[in-house]
Amino acid sequence: MLLKDKVCIIAGAGSPRGIGYAAMQIFASHGATVIGCDLVMDGIRRAELIDGLKSSAGLDAQVDFMACDITKAADCDAMLHDVLGRYGRMDGLVNCAGIVESRGMLDIDDDSLDRMLGVNLKGAFTLSQSVLRQFVQQGHGTIVHVASVAAQRGGGLVGGSHYAASKGGMISMTRSIAREFGPHGVRANVVCPSMTQTSMLDGTVNDEQHARIVSDIPLRRAGQPQDVAGACLFLTSDLSAYITGATIDVNGGSHIH
Ligand SMILES: NC(=O)c1ccc[n+]([C@@H]2O[C@H](COP(=O)([O-])OP(=O)(O)OC[C@H]3O[C@@H](n4cnc5c(N)ncnc54)[C@H](O)[C@@H]3O)[C@@H](O)[C@H]2O)c1
């Protein structure tokens, strides 16, 4: 039980095949109360997601979902206010919310660039600001942002230069948070997954391309959402109590640097 009695928010957790949802599963099975958020969360969707988590993480799993658009400060503040009102504390944030788009640099128009930076970078910034105010007040807290190998390699399998830039910004921002808020007892780290089997990859690689990519990965398989979730668990738990400002690769050895 690595997160017993901790209350954690996981942003971008509304897809049962996604990294955020996998993080909710493993966090709940390690004793945390976990609140997932995503852009859209009506009553039926919320009930289905909770049922799914309880059947995998255990019937006593403490999980809930809320709607929150991380690009909106009012949404982020309202979510935090609600979580604090209901549970009385908030210990960890994992930010898996993100969008991707495959386009050549010269085909990326203003709208597309604004949308990409708006969600992946500005959204991460806005959400971090909301939780940091609380973390400073209470003198502890952890943040894990999910960036991408695209930021390290210069573009990814699916993401264009705007995606890579947004994720690179996330890494820089996380390092700044670690430096500025370490004295307040706050840790901030970032994980960089490579190709991970979620709906983000749907329709982007055919079987032949997939086999070719996998044959170049030292561990000879694509990443699974649970692989990334496990790194998030480690970085949120006290096992990583002296780790902050770190970038953790979850890439099967495909980018060793
Ligand atoms: N799947 C991969 O191969 C891969 C590789 C590297 C990095 N990543 C990153 O991992 C993270 C999780 O991606 P995933 O693969 O689980 O895909 P996913 O699409 O299942 O998860 C992303 C979630 O973010 C939500 N979201 C989008 N905009 C939002 C907003 N403004 N506010 C709140 N939620 C919002 C989406 O609705 C979605 O549920 C993303 O940041 C992605 O860039 C994924």
Side-chain angles (χ1 to χ4, degrees), residues 13-16 38-50 65:
S15 161
D38 214 300
L39 275 177
V40 182
M41 195 56 62
D42 59 26
I44 296 173
R45 188 149 187 236
R46 175 172 166 266
E48 282 171 359
L49 290 166
I50 292 174
F65 284 87

Short mmCIF file of all heavy atoms in Angstrom, two decimals, residues 13-16 38-50 65:
data_model
loop_
_atom_site.label_atom_id
_atom_site.label_comp_id
_atom_site.label_asym_id
_atom_site.label_seq_id
_atom_site.Cartn_x
_atom_site.Cartn_y
_atom_site.Cartn_z
N ALA A 13 -8.36 11.25 -17.24
CA ALA A 13 -8.53 9.85 -16.84
C ALA A 13 -9.81 9.23 -17.37
O ALA A 13 -10.22 8.16 -16.93
CB ALA A 13 -8.48 9.74 -15.31
N GLY A 14 -10.46 9.89 -18.32
CA GLY A 14 -11.78 9.45 -18.74
C GLY A 14 -11.84 8.36 -19.80
O GLY A 14 -12.92 7.93 -20.18
N SER A 15 -10.68 7.89 -20.27
CA SER A 15 -10.71 6.82 -21.27
C SER A 15 -10.25 5.51 -20.64
O SER A 15 -9.10 5.41 -20.18
CB SER A 15 -9.78 7.18 -22.43
OG SER A 15 -9.45 6.02 -23.16
N PRO A 16 -11.11 4.47 -20.63
CA PRO A 16 -10.74 3.20 -19.99
C PRO A 16 -9.49 2.55 -20.59
O PRO A 16 -8.88 1.69 -19.97
CB PRO A 16 -11.97 2.31 -20.19
CG PRO A 16 -13.08 3.26 -20.40
CD PRO A 16 -12.49 4.47 -21.09
N ASP A 38 -11.89 14.66 -16.51
CA ASP A 38 -11.74 14.73 -17.96
C ASP A 38 -12.69 15.80 -18.48
O ASP A 38 -13.51 16.32 -17.71
CB ASP A 38 -12.01 13.37 -18.61
CG ASP A 38 -11.14 13.15 -19.85
OD1 ASP A 38 -11.23 13.95 -20.79
OD2 ASP A 38 -10.35 12.18 -19.86
N LEU A 39 -12.57 16.08 -19.76
CA LEU A 39 -13.36 17.15 -20.36
C LEU A 39 -14.86 16.96 -20.18
O LEU A 39 -15.56 17.86 -19.78
CB LEU A 39 -13.06 17.20 -21.87
CG LEU A 39 -11.86 17.98 -22.34
CD1 LEU A 39 -11.72 17.84 -23.84
CD2 LEU A 39 -11.99 19.44 -21.94
N VAL A 40 -15.32 15.75 -20.50
CA VAL A 40 -16.76 15.46 -20.44
C VAL A 40 -17.00 14.39 -19.39
O VAL A 40 -16.31 13.37 -19.38
CB VAL A 40 -17.27 14.95 -21.81
CG1 VAL A 40 -18.77 14.70 -21.77
CG2 VAL A 40 -16.92 15.94 -22.91
N MET A 41 -17.96 14.62 -18.50
CA MET A 41 -18.24 13.61 -17.48
C MET A 41 -19.71 13.69 -17.07
O MET A 41 -20.06 14.38 -16.11
CB MET A 41 -17.32 13.87 -16.26
CG MET A 41 -17.24 12.74 -15.28
SD MET A 41 -16.72 11.17 -16.00
CE MET A 41 -15.07 11.61 -16.60
N ASP A 42 -20.58 13.00 -17.85
CA ASP A 42 -21.98 12.99 -17.42
C ASP A 42 -22.20 11.83 -16.45
O ASP A 42 -21.29 11.03 -16.18
CB ASP A 42 -22.92 12.91 -18.63
CG ASP A 42 -22.68 11.65 -19.46
OD1 ASP A 42 -22.20 10.65 -18.89
OD2 ASP A 42 -22.96 11.67 -20.66
N GLY A 43 -23.42 11.75 -15.92
CA GLY A 43 -23.72 10.77 -14.88
C GLY A 43 -23.48 9.33 -15.31
O GLY A 43 -22.94 8.52 -14.57
N ILE A 44 -23.89 9.00 -16.55
CA ILE A 44 -23.77 7.62 -17.03
C ILE A 44 -22.29 7.25 -17.18
O ILE A 44 -21.84 6.20 -16.73
CB ILE A 44 -24.50 7.45 -18.38
CG1 ILE A 44 -25.99 7.69 -18.19
CG2 ILE A 44 -24.25 6.07 -18.98
CD1 ILE A 44 -26.80 7.73 -19.46
N ARG A 45 -21.55 8.17 -17.79
CA ARG A 45 -20.12 7.89 -18.01
C ARG A 45 -19.41 7.72 -16.66
O ARG A 45 -18.60 6.80 -16.47
CB ARG A 45 -19.53 9.08 -18.79
CG ARG A 45 -18.12 8.83 -19.22
CD ARG A 45 -17.79 9.55 -20.52
NE ARG A 45 -16.48 9.14 -20.97
CZ ARG A 45 -15.48 9.99 -21.21
NH1 ARG A 45 -15.66 11.27 -21.05
NH2 ARG A 45 -14.33 9.54 -21.62
N ARG A 46 -19.74 8.61 -15.74
CA ARG A 46 -19.11 8.56 -14.42
C ARG A 46 -19.38 7.21 -13.75
O ARG A 46 -18.47 6.56 -13.23
CB ARG A 46 -19.67 9.71 -13.58
CG ARG A 46 -19.19 9.73 -12.15
CD ARG A 46 -19.64 11.00 -11.44
NE ARG A 46 -19.45 10.84 -10.01
CZ ARG A 46 -20.41 10.42 -9.20
NH1 ARG A 46 -21.62 10.16 -9.65
NH2 ARG A 46 -20.14 10.27 -7.91
N ALA A 47 -20.65 6.76 -13.83
CA ALA A 47 -21.02 5.49 -13.19
C ALA A 47 -20.28 4.33 -13.84
O ALA A 47 -19.79 3.41 -13.16
CB ALA A 47 -22.53 5.29 -13.27
N GLU A 48 -20.18 4.34 -15.16
CA GLU A 48 -19.49 3.24 -15.87
C GLU A 48 -18.01 3.19 -15.49
O GLU A 48 -17.44 2.13 -15.26
CB GLU A 48 -19.60 3.45 -17.39
CG GLU A 48 -20.95 3.05 -17.95
CD GLU A 48 -21.12 3.46 -19.41
OE1 GLU A 48 -20.18 4.07 -19.99
OE2 GLU A 48 -22.19 3.19 -19.95
N LEU A 49 -17.40 4.37 -15.44
CA LEU A 49 -15.96 4.42 -15.11
C LEU A 49 -15.72 3.94 -13.68
O LEU A 49 -14.78 3.18 -13.41
CB LEU A 49 -15.43 5.85 -15.30
CG LEU A 49 -15.34 6.35 -16.75
CD1 LEU A 49 -15.12 7.86 -16.80
CD2 LEU A 49 -14.22 5.63 -17.50
N ILE A 50 -16.57 4.37 -12.77
CA ILE A 50 -16.41 3.95 -11.37
C ILE A 50 -16.61 2.44 -11.25
O ILE A 50 -15.81 1.75 -10.60
CB ILE A 50 -17.40 4.71 -10.45
CG1 ILE A 50 -17.02 6.20 -10.39
CG2 ILE A 50 -17.40 4.11 -9.04
CD1 ILE A 50 -17.99 7.08 -9.62
N PHE A 65 -15.13 10.60 -10.27
CA PHE A 65 -14.77 11.35 -11.48
C PHE A 65 -15.49 12.69 -11.50
O PHE A 65 -16.61 12.81 -11.01
CB PHE A 65 -15.17 10.56 -12.74
CG PHE A 65 -14.25 9.42 -13.04
CD1 PHE A 65 -14.47 8.17 -12.46
CD2 PHE A 65 -13.17 9.57 -13.88
CE1 PHE A 65 -13.62 7.11 -12.72
CE2 PHE A 65 -12.32 8.51 -14.15
CZ PHE A 65 -12.55 7.28 -13.57
#
